[in-house]
Amino acid sequence: MLERKVKVELEHGLHARPATEFVKLCASVKSDVTLIKDKKEMNAKSIMGVMALGVSKGDQVTLRVNGPDEAEAIEKLEKYLMNGEKR
Amino acid sequence: MSRVFHGIAASPGIAIGRAARLERQELKVEKREILSPEDEIERFKQAITKAVTDLEEIYQKTLKELGEEKASIFQAHQMLLQDPVWTSEVENRIREESINGEYAIEQVTEQYISLFSEMEDEYMRERAADLKDVKNRVLAYLTGTNRRQIHEQTPSILVAHDLTPSDTAQLDRKLTLGFVTEIGGRTSHSAIMARSLEIPAVVGIGEILGEVRNGDLLIVDGLEGEIHLNPDPETVARFEEKRERYLQEKEGLKKLVDQPTITRDGHQVEIAANIGTPKDVEGALRNGAEGIGLFRTEFLYMDRDTFPTEEEQFAAYKEVVEKMKGKPVIIRTLDIGGDKEIPYLDMPKEMNPFLGYRAIRLCLDRTELFKTQLRAILRASAYGRVKIMFPMVTTLSEVREAKRILHEIVEEFREQKIPFSSDLEVGIMVETPASAVIADILAKEVDFFSIGTNDLIQYTMAADRMNERVSYLYQPYHPAILRLVKMVIDAAHKEGKWAGMCGEMAGDPIAIPILLGLGLDEFSMSSSSILTARQKVGSLSYSEMKTLAEQALEQETQEKVKDLVRAAGV
């Protein structure tokens, strides 16, 4: 299991469209992904869960990845949260 | 009795007709015990499948009629329905409590709805509406109730508390004369869709369902944001006239699509479109663009992990050039940096990104990147009328260096006999005070100027346009801006070159008379502004505007410039 603290730099945080993209990305990895904010833990493969965390730009979150491709996955997900949407 | 209500003008136009109330059919969900949870889960799964198919249809319909952006909401709805956590929560409840699917859905979804509606962020609160919409869709399948039928058989004006995105997508233009909602703002889904469908609409009118009965006569004035309930015959006559006038104006604008842009006294200018992707060309042509005045190429570099290849870029440029069928296309080379970043470029954070390593500065430093783009542009030039434009120039040597690199590639092309257009014009964007002030020097070096007002204003006023505290300094009619614009136009004309503008200001009805008077040759703007701008130019006299522009340059403040234009009645 890997855990990493990430400061979300997405311009609109995890709002509808970026949240959709993020969840799709999480669904594409084999490992289980948990997104944690203010001690609330959500399954990151769930759009409702991710949106319910209400993550805004600048928020500190924790990514927890557990599974066969965890090392690769955590890199990919961290990268997205740090600079995914740049429009 | 006749009454007037005021709301927000969400979509222009006048509608006069009979009211049709949209009752929010509250689906009553009752708790039932069931014998076979597994059968119930199967029933639930089938309802989800149907709802997703249904949404896919709505998505396709919206995509065709209104485009990707508006349709994407229905993709999000599909995703909500297929959310693994949500579905397994519902299934668990059915299984563990032996309850009916409807009730389980209601319970599970309500948790999320209340979570969303309590959020501080307004945008997130609105997502609660999406969830409700999605929930009701599944419930309708499960309970066997038909979804609300939006339409009566006769054309009418819809009156509703609110229209959900899927309601709006199902609106039939022929049967919907207009609509009125109690809540919502100018940027709500329903307002945006109403404008795309060209249906007059007033939203945010407040409590009105208690007042309107089916069949009441209604006037919707989407221009002023007004509703007249059961108006007297004189009022009806007045609004019928207003509707006619509005429709005539609209028709008049449509007639201008294939017309040249020409003043009353015969002075001709060009109105072009600013675009961001090849998809935008269609809107530009539909609105009568005489060319593409600014093709931002950044989209090619965004949302990806590696640089776009020469082939990819060539395909995109060629598509635009071909679609424009011989009309000019100005392609701006990469304008990245500042507030626009690309992750794989790996640029360090800067204290002042707007004053930093961006646009032409970056391209001249990372020449491989620049050369790839120039090659792609040159290749596309064989298919139409391409012009190249360099952004953010501040010195003569930048222009010379950029041109030198371009000529290197031209030589290569000649040697290798790769086809390209030999009368390719090369210009720069004037968006810094430095380039405006030395425009006379730069004019000898380029074929044209295009004034980028958004940045020019920001740099001239030394006010970050993202900073709300200084946003009052974003003053397009400030005499300093007008004088710089004049310097640029005069400098271009003195060398027999042309000057255009591709910032917000070019489509601004107050700025147009002044810019015309200053001698601007090309106005490039968002497609939706083109026809109104063309009509404006057609109503003006060039010689009168020359005098007006001279007076504008002498005003002390931006307010006085605005007053001057208003007083001239143009």
Side-chain angles (χ1 to χ4, degrees):
Chain A
M1 189 191 75
L2 296 173
E3 243 186 46
R4 203 171 285 180
K5 283 204 169 73
V6 187
K7 193 173 165 218
V8 177
E9 292 293 348
L10 294 167
E11 192 174 347
H12 299 291
L14 285 176
H15 276 176
R17 203 198 289 254
T20 312
E21 289 303 316
F22 179 69
V23 172
K24 275 190 205 155
L25 211 57
C26 289
S28 74
V29 306
K30 291 193 196 78
S31 304
D32 292 332
V33 186
T34 310
L35 190 66
I36 307 160
K37 189 194 142 193
D38 303 337
K39 301 207 176 105
K40 274 189 285 183
E41 298 192 4
M42 292 286 179
N43 179 339
K45 299 191 181 191
S46 156
I47 179 78
M48 288 196 210
V50 167
M51 279 170 63
L53 284 177
V55 178
S56 309
K57 184 180 177 175
D59 281 353
Q60 184 90 31
V61 298
T62 305
L63 265 175
R64 181 187 298 149
V65 187
N66 190 4
D69 56 352
E70 57 189 28
E72 202 184 311
I74 202 163
E75 287 300 325
K76 195 155 97 175
L77 298 174
E78 179 187 25
K79 203 170 150 200
Y80 182 81
L81 290 177
M82 284 171 66
N83 46 28
E85 239 205 12
K86 290 287 177 187
R87 245 171 238 288
Chain B
M1 209 190 75
S2 151
R3 309 231 345 235
V4 183
F5 297 83
H6 297 274
I8 298 160
S11 175
I14 311 277
I16 304 172
R18 298 285 162 189
R21 292 163 52 103
L22 268 182
E23 308 292 347
R24 180 62 64 190
Q25 198 181 25
E26 278 303 327
L27 290 159
K28 276 221 181 83
V29 174
E30 276 161 25
K31 186 173 174 178
R32 274 186 295 119
E33 215 168 299
I34 42 133
L35 295 173
S36 161
E38 291 313 316
D39 287 351
E40 188 66 7
I41 287 171
E42 192 47 41
R43 200 168 74 89
F44 165 68
K45 281 185 176 160
Q46 279 177 12
I48 297 288
T49 312
K50 275 192 211 146
V52 170
T53 320
D54 200 17
L55 280 166
E56 180 61 26
E57 233 172 77
I58 299 181
Y59 168 75
Q60 293 297 346
K61 180 173 181 260
T62 315
L63 184 67
K64 215 169 76 196
E65 287 172 8
L66 299 173
E68 174 65 38
E69 203 187 324
K70 277 146 202 148
S72 68
I73 178 93
F74 300 110
Q75 271 192 328
H77 281 193
Q78 291 179 41
M79 201 158 159
L80 284 171
L81 281 180
Q82 292 167 310
D83 188 314
V85 171
W86 181 75
T87 45
S88 64
E89 265 184 71
V90 173
E91 289 174 22
N92 285 343
R93 290 228 180 190
I94 297 176
R95 196 172 290 124
E96 283 159 19
E97 300 171 29
S98 296
I99 50 170
N100 53 325
E102 292 89 331
Y103 193 72
I105 290 172
E106 183 75 28
Q107 296 286 301
V108 172
T109 319
E110 273 310 316
Q111 287 174 18
Y112 287 102
I113 292 176
S114 60
L115 203 63
F116 284 162
S117 25
E118 278 159 21
M119 285 191 189
E120 274 172 38
D121 186 331
E122 189 199 330
Y123 179 87
M124 292 305 280
R125 280 201 307 270
E126 275 182 31
R127 300 285 71 75
D130 287 324
L131 265 185
K132 271 187 201 155
D133 194 4
V134 168
K135 180 192 78 177
N136 286 333
R137 181 178 303 279
V138 190
L139 287 181
Y141 282 115
L142 278 174
T143 53
T145 31
N146 279 329
R147 292 266 297 166
R148 285 184 302 149
Q149 273 297 316
I150 292 263
H151 290 291
E152 311 284 325
Q153 288 310 304
T154 49
S156 46
I157 293 171
L158 296 180
V159 184
H161 177 64
D162 186 23
L163 289 173
T164 64
S166 48
D167 288 337
T168 326
Q170 291 170 63
L171 289 181
D172 183 330
R173 275 174 74 172
K174 285 193 242 24
L175 293 175
T176 314
L177 300 172
F179 72 73
V180 181
T181 59
E182 292 188 325
I183 62 170
R186 257 192 74 78
T187 55
S188 57
H189 287 305
S190 39
I192 294 168
M193 293 230 193
R195 286 196 289 276
S196 307
L197 292 166
E198 300 181 30
I199 296 172
V202 174
V203 301
I205 200 113
E207 163 51 34
I208 192 176
L209 279 168
E211 321 276 337
V212 182
R213 279 166 309 176
N214 277 326
D216 277 350
L217 187 62
L218 266 188
I219 297 173
V220 178
D221 183 343
L223 301 165
E224 311 285 341
E226 242 176 50
I227 303 297
H228 294 253
L229 174 60
N230 292 323
D232 53 48
E234 290 86 71
T235 311
V236 174
R238 186 155 58 83
F239 275 94
E240 272 171 352
E241 209 175 288
K242 190 170 176 183
R243 183 178 59 189
E244 276 313 302
R245 246 193 346 260
Y246 173 77
L247 290 176
Q248 269 172 18
E249 266 170 37
K250 221 171 124 183
E251 268 312 297
L253 280 182
K254 275 191 193 142
K255 270 188 220 139
L256 295 177
V257 168
D258 299 315
Q259 299 294 314
T261 311
I262 199 156
T263 64
R264 279 199 336 250
D265 50 350
H267 176 73
Q268 189 166 351
V269 295
E270 190 178 297
I271 299 191
N274 297 340
I275 63 167
T277 71
K279 274 191 299 191
D280 300 337
V281 174
E282 194 202 329
L285 289 172
R286 201 173 55 232
N287 285 289
E290 292 165 72
I292 300 298
L294 170 64
F295 178 14
R296 302 185 182 93
T297 54
E298 287 75 65
F299 82 100
L300 283 162
Y301 296 80
M302 305 264 197
D303 289 338
R304 51 187 298 151
D305 302 322
T306 52
F307 288 110
T309 62
E310 182 184 319
E311 280 316 310
E312 278 175 71
Q313 297 193 52
F314 166 63
Y317 304 153
K318 176 170 169 257
E319 185 182 344
V320 171
V321 171
E322 283 189 328
K323 280 185 180 164
M324 288 306 291
K325 297 201 173 75
K327 290 179 176 159
V329 176
I330 302 181
I331 303 178
R332 177 174 74 185
T333 58
L334 186 57
D335 183 9
I336 215 99
D339 57 333
K340 296 173 281 190
E341 296 169 41
I342 20 184
Y344 53 87
L345 256 178
D346 213 14
M347 295 198 295
K349 282 262 176 270
E350 298 189 340
M351 291 287 283
N352 293 301
F354 279 111
L355 305 180
Y357 183 63
R358 57 176 292 201
I360 193 73
R361 301 169 181 184
L362 186 147
C363 286
L364 292 179
D365 183 45
R366 306 181 70 151
T367 46
E368 272 320 305
L369 175 78
F370 190 42
K371 282 180 182 167
T372 307
Q373 180 170 38
L374 290 177
R375 257 186 228 114
I377 298 175
L378 266 187
R379 281 172 61 194
S381 75
Y383 296 84
R385 262 175 81 195
V386 169
K387 301 170 202 267
I388 296 183
M389 177 158 77
F390 303 123
M392 258 303 270
V393 167
T394 50
T395 69
L396 178 63
S397 63
E398 281 167 343
V399 183
R400 288 192 171 148
E401 181 61 12
K403 280 175 65 183
R404 189 189 60 76
I405 295 172
L406 177 64
H407 284 138
E408 251 178 51
I409 301 171
V410 165
E411 287 309 312
E412 260 176 54
F413 271 48
R414 287 217 169 95
E415 273 167 36
Q416 296 168 23
K417 299 209 168 17
I418 302 171
F420 71 99
S421 158
S422 53
D423 56 356
L424 189 86
E425 285 185 26
V426 178
I428 60 167
M429 234 172 130
V430 178
E431 51 191 330
T432 63
S435 55
V437 172
I438 61 162
D440 57 333
I441 299 168
L442 298 173
K444 297 186 202 317
E445 204 69 30
V446 299
D447 299 311
F448 67 89
F449 289 138
S450 184
I451 306 169
T453 50
N454 300 347
D455 273 340
L456 183 62
I457 296 167
Q458 154 166 285
Y459 293 132
T460 306
M461 304 299 288
D464 183 344
R465 59 187 153 106
M466 305 300 188
N467 184 339
E468 279 173 28
R469 289 193 184 146
V470 294
S471 61
Y472 71 98
L473 286 171
Y474 187 86
Q475 297 188 5
Y477 327 113
H478 188 290
I481 305 298
L482 299 182
R483 289 178 188 194
L484 285 175
V485 169
K486 179 183 161 57
M487 285 175 77
V488 176
I489 298 172
D490 287 352
H493 289 176
K494 204 169 157 221
E495 295 295 327
K497 314 286 170 70
W498 63 270
M501 179 178 284
C502 56
E504 294 288 321
M505 201 174 163
D508 175 344
I510 297 179
I512 288 173
I514 303 174
L515 296 172
L516 188 71
L518 289 174
L520 193 72
D521 302 289
E522 180 236 33
F523 297 66
S524 192
M525 58 193 69
S526 47
S527 296
S528 58
S529 308
I530 291 175
L531 292 176
T532 323
R534 182 167 295 150
Q535 190 185 42
K536 178 113 221 168
V537 172
S539 73
L540 301 172
S541 143
Y542 180 48
S543 62
E544 283 170 25
M545 290 313 108
K546 274 203 267 196
T547 318
L548 182 80
E550 271 164 33
Q551 290 167 348
L553 292 169
E554 298 307 321
Q555 299 304 309
E556 293 162 340
T557 62
Q558 131 147 325
E559 280 63 42
K560 291 199 171 165
V561 173
K562 278 199 239 178
D563 291 344
L564 178 80
V565 176
R566 280 199 206 102
V570 292

